[in-house]
Amino acid sequence: MVLSTQDSAIAVAAREIPERSSRKRSSLSENVQRQLDKAAEMMDLNTAVRKILSTTMNEIVVHFPVKMDDGRTEIFTGYRVQHNDALGPFKGGLRFHPMVSLDEVRALASWMTWKGAIARIPFGGAKGGIQFDPTKHSKSELEHITRRFTYALGNMIGPEYDIPAPDVNTNAQIMAWILDTYLSTVPPHDRQRCVHVVTGKPIEAGGSLGRDKATAQGIVYCIEQWAGDNRFKLDGAAVVLQGFGNVGSWTARLLKPFGARIVAVEDVTGSIYNSRGIDPDELFRYVSANKGVTGFPNAEAVDHDRFLQTRADIFIPAALENQITEETAPKLNVRLVAEGANGPTDPDGDAILQHRGIELLPDILCNSGGVIVSYFEWLQNKRSEAWELEEVDDKLKKKIVNAYRRVRETTKRYNTDWRTGAYIVALSHLEAVYKERGIFP
Ligand code: NAD
């Protein structure tokens, strides 16, 4: 299903569509297909299931008008792609970014399906976003864009149907606006039953303790497991971090008590380096005040290449996709890549890392803490409960450690890489569900 809506009656100001980077990037859905094909061949996945999972179920495109602060009206384009709901309601984040496209959202939606299957949570996969640069808008414009997008999606989202969450450039405040707008569109007596239409909400608006740090917490639990398996000491380990937003900054702060040293950090404003370590709490305060890592006093500025080549133990990409490629993978000087971002490594980058003996904890396992705690938030809302932080963290640890072990054992059994092992775990689970349910009619 492809839907498109446009309110053409309103005068429209021309909106610039940002140009894509001139650097050659592989299409994200091609990357997903290559990853899926490799695992499907290896495990001999049922042909019908392979066809179904290679395709998205619904793709919704909305064009909607929003009045700017100065009275002009601009048209925005938003997407919601629902990849698969065999395991439960569609679930996945919303991102606000100039590079958001249908291709990107398709790939991100598929990765959500695999994450739910690996973590054994009853969610399918979806993703969405609006193609624009939120840094160029005031808070009130952001609110209007968010609310108008939610209204345009209408009942294409819903607490038992498709549940958005935060992603790049979206946060608890954005989720609160989505919640409020959605609730305004349902009859008053249904409103209290619909609070779980989004997750990642502020605590006061029905959010869960621990959701803000959940993705990072999951990454740290995975790294801890990997360190245990490899007799690797996190105390004193050097870490390179790309991205210092929700996932990156929380990961840095959660690694601090282990004695890990963050030696290099990069964000959209530039890259910084300090061999003695960059204090994540100090950097967090600096970034909150200055909107980026550039200019941080206790580190030197370095260029992108030098950042990539930093000698360290662990590289954590926590920014955008397609960062570790044929061109950049040869430059990494680390032992482990722990993927916080979705799709940071393309298949060529993967092959080079494997060839160089650099281990990799794949996104669909390593960053699944976010969707796992989103599931806990959704459950708490449905049951009118509010769990303590320790309970959330304990349950997250159990889920993600079990997922880690499933992937580790499958990877060993098939004698393959961790990403393919993770795909086999996900695809086997989905295959079993399709076999039991059959394909209608
Ligand atoms: P965010 O918007 O909070 O932070 C993004 C960070 O990436 C910022 O520090 C930004 O400056 C940096 N960045 C952007 N473009 C960059 C570039 N070209 N080079 C270097 N740095 C750049 O987003 P987030 O929620 O932290 O998400 C980061 C990644 O983690 C995304 O891939 C997202 O899909 C993934 N992820 C997020 C969650 C979640 O719960 N938020 C869950 C799972 C996966």
Side-chain angles (χ1 to χ4, degrees):
M1 174 177 53
V2 178
L3 297 181
S4 181
T5 64
Q6 181 152 10
D7 189 344
S8 55
I10 298 178
V12 176
R15 179 163 179 76
E16 268 176 48
I17 304 292
E19 278 179 26
R20 285 191 165 266
S21 147
S22 57
R23 213 175 74 208
K24 184 183 163 291
R25 288 166 185 272
S26 45
S27 138
L28 277 195
S29 14
E30 280 166 18
N31 291 355
V32 176
Q33 195 58 48
R34 279 170 72 184
Q35 294 166 347
L36 192 156
D37 286 344
K38 183 174 176 190
E41 295 292 335
M42 201 172 275
M43 66 182 282
D44 196 18
L45 179 67
N46 174 285
T47 312
V49 175
R50 182 167 168 177
K51 279 187 192 163
I52 292 169
L53 295 175
S54 298
T55 320
T56 57
M57 282 178 82
N58 304 318
E59 300 186 344
I60 301 147
V61 183
V62 290
H63 307 290
F64 54 94
V66 182
K67 236 182 218 162
M68 300 291 102
D69 292 345
D70 63 5
R72 280 177 308 117
T73 296
E74 291 207 24
I75 293 289
F76 292 83
T77 299
Y79 304 91
R80 187 74 183 164
V81 171
Q82 298 163 336
H83 173 254
N84 188 276
D85 67 350
L87 299 179
F90 300 110
K91 182 86 188 83
L94 284 180
R95 85 171 37 172
F96 292 174
H97 196 276
M99 304 277 269
V100 165
S101 67
L102 192 52
D103 180 79
E104 177 185 73
V105 178
R106 274 181 189 143
L108 290 162
S110 320
W111 284 321
M112 289 307 297
T113 302
W114 319 142
K115 278 186 220 183
I118 293 168
R120 299 287 194 267
I121 52 176
F123 281 149
K127 202 81 177 194
I130 310 177
Q131 186 194 63
F132 80 115
D133 183 352
T135 62
K136 301 216 161 90
H137 293 270
S138 66
K139 189 172 177 193
S140 77
E141 287 181 352
L142 271 185
E143 176 174 356
H144 293 137
I145 295 165
T146 305
R147 286 183 181 276
R148 197 59 176 74
F149 178 49
T150 310
Y151 186 79
L153 287 176
N155 61 7
M156 296 296 164
I157 58 169
E160 304 292 332
Y161 179 61
D162 183 357
I163 306 125
D167 193 74
V168 174
N169 291 328
T170 57
N171 55 21
Q173 172 62 81
I174 305 271
M175 298 306 116
W177 289 330
I178 295 175
L179 170 72
D180 189 68
T181 310
Y182 183 84
L183 293 186
S184 309
T185 67
V186 300
H189 56 268
D190 281 339
R191 286 182 190 155
Q192 291 312 319
R193 290 199 285 118
C194 291
V195 176
H196 51 304
V197 65
V198 274
T199 57
K201 301 181 287 289
I203 304 299
E204 302 75 14
S208 173
L209 290 173
R211 175 59 184 89
D212 50 357
K213 69 174 174 105
T215 304
Q217 187 67 73
I219 294 169
V220 172
Y221 287 147
C222 285
I223 292 176
E224 242 188 304
Q225 291 301 306
W226 175 87
D229 285 350
N230 290 280
R231 298 173 198 276
F232 175 85
K233 272 176 59 185
L234 280 173
D235 192 8
V239 177
V240 173
L241 192 57
Q242 186 187 45
F244 203 75
N246 171 285
V247 178
S249 69
W250 270 113
T251 305
R253 284 174 286 163
L254 292 170
L255 281 172
K256 187 175 165 180
F258 289 91
R261 248 178 328 128
I262 310 293
V263 291
V265 182
E266 180 179 79
D267 73 1
V268 73
T269 67
S271 318
I272 56 171
Y273 171 78
N274 183 338
S275 61
R276 279 169 292 132
I278 294 165
D279 183 83
D281 296 302
E282 270 178 37
L283 183 62
F284 181 72
R285 282 192 292 276
Y286 180 84
V287 169
S288 306
N290 297 280
K291 308 271 178 250
V293 301
T294 296
F296 181 64
N298 300 326
E300 62 173 300
V302 290
D303 64 20
H304 181 60
D305 257 14
R306 190 147 158 234
F307 164 80
L308 289 173
Q309 288 162 1
T310 306
R311 186 178 295 280
D313 298 294
I314 307 175
F315 180 78
I316 305 178
L320 295 176
E321 50 270 2
N322 273 347
Q323 297 299 309
I324 305 176
T325 60
E326 194 176 15
E327 188 190 320
T328 57
K331 298 180 180 169
L332 296 190
N333 240 322
V334 292
R335 180 169 169 190
L336 173 73
V337 171
E339 293 186 329
N342 285 307
T345 312
D346 75 7
D348 297 333
D350 254 338
I352 293 169
L353 294 184
Q354 277 166 44
H355 180 70
R356 296 187 58 214
I358 298 176
E359 291 190 53
L360 180 140
L361 295 173
D363 46 7
I364 51 178
L365 164 69
C366 193
N367 74 26
S368 63
V371 70
I372 293 172
V373 176
S374 273
Y375 167 55
F376 297 158
E377 178 176 332
W378 186 76
L379 272 184
Q380 290 171 72
N381 293 158
K382 275 165 78 92
R383 300 174 180 171
S384 298
E385 290 178 1
W387 301 351
E388 298 298 333
L389 181 59
E390 293 69 30
E391 188 177 354
V392 173
D393 282 348
D394 283 354
K395 287 190 154 108
L396 166 61
K397 188 167 190 178
K398 241 178 230 152
K399 279 258 173 229
I400 205 159
V401 168
N402 282 338
Y404 174 97
R405 289 180 181 148
R406 265 194 289 278
V407 172
R408 183 186 59 195
E409 296 319 308
T410 306
T411 301
K412 266 193 207 148
R413 184 148 35 92
Y414 283 85
N415 190 23
T416 187
D417 58 282
W418 276 67
R419 189 183 313 284
T420 307
Y423 263 77
I424 294 175
V425 169
L427 296 173
S428 312
H429 188 53
L430 286 152
E431 182 181 47
V433 173
Y434 273 105
K435 276 190 180 154
E436 281 156 12
R437 284 173 49 163
I439 294 166
F440 178 82

